[in-house]
Amino acid sequence: QVQLVESGGGSVQTGGSLRLSCAASRYTESSARMGWFRQAPGKEREGVAAIDTGGGSTFYADSVKGRFTISQDNAKNTVYLQMNSLKPEDTAMYYCAAGSKYAGTWYWRGNYNYWGQGTQVTVSS
């Protein structure tokens, strides 16, 4: 069992930045994948970014490419999501997730076994 705890959400104005953190109770093996998802009211949960903890490959949704960066600190069992140039459409609850990189596409929520409780990000215009 892996427990994930997100932090770092908050309220910012358009163009601002936030850094989300996801601390894992135990770090996943080299075949693991850590993902960030978000869900706005009335919308489906969508993949934002993911990182393969072993090889370090990263993946991004088109809507956040060039603005968001996912990274990891293995010594701290933590994955980060640096979010720059935030837009009102980035407003959502953001969730950290853990799964296997062999489970399938990075952006499908069904390929992740463990989820955090979420942290709210609100971007005002």
Side-chain angles (χ1 to χ4, degrees), residues 6-75:
E6 303 99 332
S7 61
S11 298
V12 296
Q13 293 188 326
T14 297
S17 298
L18 285 172
R19 188 177 80 156
L20 306 183
S21 299
C22 172
S25 59
R26 64 171 177 85
Y27 217 38
T28 48
E29 61 276 13
S30 60
S31 63
R33 175 172 291 160
M34 301 292 292
W36 283 100
F37 285 73
R38 67 186 180 187
Q39 188 168 18
K43 293 190 176 182
E44 295 280 326
R45 189 171 297 190
E46 63 174 357
V48 175
I51 185 167
D52 289 344
T53 59
S57 296
T58 57
F59 310 89
Y60 296 95
D62 287 344
S63 59
V64 306
K65 278 181 183 175
R67 300 189 298 122
F68 290 12
T69 303
I70 189 170
S71 62
Q72 60 181 345
D73 184 336
N74 291 345

